[in-house]
Amino acid sequence: MTLEVEVFWSFRSPYSYLAAPRLAEIARDYDVEMRVRPVYPLAVRVEGFFKRQDRRWPMYVARDAFRTAQMLGLPFGPPRPDPIVMDFSTGEVAKDQPYIGRLTRLGQAAVEAGHGLPFIVEVSRLIWGGEVQGWDQGDHLAQATARAGLDLATLERRIATDADRLETAIQESHARMEDVGHWGVPTMVFQDEPFFGQDRIETLLWRMRQHGLAARS
């Protein structure tokens, strides 16, 4: 029996990036459907989010994400540009968010095209892999999309002509994440039980094994 896991995921989250390849490995090796649900980061969903956080928190996250990437053998570096437009000195997040808006809608369109998981793997590595400056320039995003088995121009047309419906789907994912009792990313949900963070993937596997997780033949 195929098991289903909902994956609430943000392009601005380094931990989402770190989780993506391992989730793809699980989908490859086990009879599991990873249902990717792109969401906006808390900086966009919650007004004034960064203003209420300890100023030391972002620096700790950067340090922890870097060492976790080293442990996992993944490339890592700060995104250039940051998917969120904000002033780190004040915590002020701009009202206009061209990068994360585009990325999240592209992610939803990729999900609906049946390639959500490979799309987030490839595009998050482009953003967080530390190898590309100006991921939004040139053909970087087009190449990453092609590696995921999709055509960027086709996705761009879809988000231009179907923006309202895609946005509704994203907002439904926000509501679903709240219903299962969490707010952060990455959050994996199996049978309405949330598993928050890239460091809960092994716990998720343990739980799925209790419900008959089977290797793919």
Side-chain angles (χ1 to χ4, degrees):
M1 180 183 68
T2 301
L3 303 182
E4 180 180 296
V5 176
E6 296 170 273
V7 179
F8 296 89
W9 201 94
S10 167
F11 289 96
R12 207 290 175 105
S13 162
Y15 293 121
S16 288
Y17 157 63
L18 296 173
R22 286 179 288 164
L23 295 174
E25 288 175 2
I26 293 171
R28 179 197 66 199
D29 296 341
Y30 296 95
D31 190 10
V32 175
E33 178 187 352
M34 294 289 177
R35 185 183 176 194
V36 177
R37 303 192 71 151
V39 296
Y40 291 118
L42 282 168
V44 172
R45 281 187 282 135
V46 180
E47 186 174 354
F49 174 77
F50 274 101
K51 292 182 178 180
R52 297 197 291 271
Q53 306 307 310
D54 190 300
R55 295 294 177 89
R56 295 166 292 186
W57 178 63
M59 294 303 297
Y60 175 80
V61 168
R63 184 176 185 177
D64 184 57
F66 179 71
R67 71 184 173 203
T68 302
Q70 287 182 312
M71 182 182 71
L72 297 172
L74 294 174
F76 185 82
R80 298 170 291 179
D82 191 324
I84 288 290
V85 180
M86 67 173 291
D87 184 337
F88 276 94
S89 65
T90 64
E92 188 71 32
V93 175
K95 295 295 184 183
D96 184 26
Q97 293 290 338
Y99 302 126
I100 199 63
R102 178 192 182 198
L103 286 169
T104 308
R105 287 188 288 273
L106 284 172
Q108 182 62 36
V111 167
E112 295 178 7
H115 291 256
L117 190 55
F119 184 81
I120 66 171
V121 169
E122 294 295 342
V123 174
S124 63
R125 177 161 181 158
L126 171 67
I127 296 170
W128 288 99
E131 299 164 344
V132 175
Q133 182 168 351
W135 58 262
D136 61 320
Q137 302 298 314
D139 65 349
H140 295 306
L141 191 55
Q143 289 186 12
T145 304
R147 290 193 295 272
L150 294 168
D151 176 64
L152 180 61
T154 301
L155 293 184
E156 294 279 18
R157 286 194 296 272
R158 188 162 299 167
I159 69 171
T161 59
D162 213 6
D164 289 346
R165 191 189 57 75
L166 292 170
E167 188 65 27
T168 296
I170 293 166
Q171 296 303 325
E172 288 173 351
S173 291
H174 294 166
R176 169 62 177 159
M177 185 161 57
E178 290 188 9
D179 286 344
V180 298
H182 220 283
W183 54 92
V185 291
T187 290
M188 290 71 67
V189 177
F190 174 64
Q191 296 191 350
D192 288 340
E193 183 179 7
F195 299 80
F196 168 59
Q198 58 83 28
D199 55 346
R200 289 296 178 266
I201 291 177
E202 289 301 319
T203 311
L204 170 65
L205 278 169
W206 166 78
R207 178 66 83 203
M208 289 194 293
R209 289 187 181 106
Q210 294 178 329
H211 291 265
L213 177 66
R216 293 191 186 277
S217 57

